[in-house]
Amino acid sequence: HPVSPKPVDTQAFAEQVDALRPLLANNRFDAVVRFKNLQALVAETELADEINALEGLLREMRFDLMLARLLPIADRLASKELP
């Protein structure tokens, strides 16, 4: 039977997205390294497939589109944390 996914470290995820946001907004190449950190953070979690799906946009340097897809994921995750 499938292994249940690891829980996402929501605090660390939010920090990674906050760091990635200005890099993507300013088309900074450093976004590539930061995104790899984000992928590593969510590996084996329920977000892994969703985050990994953004990698193609990164390769195409579509930072604007990537940011537009990443922010709703981050918002959704943050809203799960609310009591």
Side-chain angles (χ1 to χ4, degrees):
H1 58 85
V3 180
S4 60
K6 294 192 317 192
V8 177
D9 181 338
T10 52
Q11 179 70 38
F13 185 87
E15 289 168 6
Q16 290 285 346
V17 171
D18 285 346
L20 192 52
R21 190 181 304 209
L23 300 178
L24 290 172
N26 296 307
N27 295 317
R28 295 278 306 279
F29 194 71
D30 323 31
V32 175
V33 174
R34 181 64 68 172
F35 182 72
K36 295 287 182 203
N37 293 343
L38 188 63
Q39 283 182 302
L41 178 69
V42 300
E44 298 176 40
T45 71
E46 63 185 20
L47 288 180
D49 291 344
E50 210 169 351
I51 296 300
N52 290 337
L54 300 176
E55 192 171 12
L57 295 173
L58 189 68
R59 277 199 299 273
E60 295 168 17
M61 307 300 262
R62 294 299 313 277
F63 291 168
D64 53 341
L65 196 52
M66 192 174 163
L67 187 58
R69 296 212 179 142
L70 185 60
L71 294 180
I73 298 170
D75 289 345
R76 192 179 74 225
L77 193 63
S79 70
K80 275 189 183 175
E81 283 301 288
L82 299 174

